[in-house]
Amino acid sequence: ERPALEQLVRALGIQGLVELTGTLDARSAQERMARASVMALPSVRESLGAVYLEAMSLGVPALGTRGEGIEEHIDHGASGILVPPDDDEALLVELRALAVDPDRAQRIGQAGRRRFLAGPFSWRANVQSYLALFEELARGRASR
């Protein structure tokens, strides 16, 4: 996709605003995300994109799409931002609102971080969930 993206950047005349980094290792990606003003992924095919949770864990405001998996973890306007699917105007309105009010963006980012830390996202919580599922499945098979 790089050649197509480079062509689009040139066509839009935004070369000074866009950096196409190429592949980044996990640490570099996390460092860049931590410096971001917002992480926007208005996808319409995400069961639960880990990138939302990564942004929330770093205190970066996460913007996602209503009707997708992240909606269960974001309280719109409090711990993140949600927009309707395929609504470019709503997306632009929300991105502009965050840009003109960095204090609000910071509050949302910090609330997202608190939500992440309080949620079921730790390795321990994941292991416990899987163990409970495996035990339930094992009981179901044993009773049949």
Side-chain angles (χ1 to χ4, degrees), residues 65-129:
T65 305
R66 292 188 184 281
E68 300 299 317
I70 194 58
E71 188 172 19
E72 295 176 29
H73 303 291
I74 287 180
D75 179 16
H76 175 69
S79 60
I81 300 292
L82 296 166
V83 296
D86 298 318
D87 190 337
D88 294 342
E89 185 61 32
L91 173 62
L92 184 58
V93 165
E94 293 294 353
L95 288 172
R96 283 184 174 151
L98 291 171
V100 299
D101 192 350
D103 291 336
R104 176 175 174 255
Q106 185 176 21
R107 285 191 306 274
I108 289 171
Q110 291 307 308
R113 179 169 167 73
R114 287 190 300 276
R115 171 67 180 102
F116 173 83
L117 293 173
F121 309 114
S122 70
W123 284 110
R124 181 179 302 278
N126 279 315
V127 167
Q128 289 172 339
S129 293

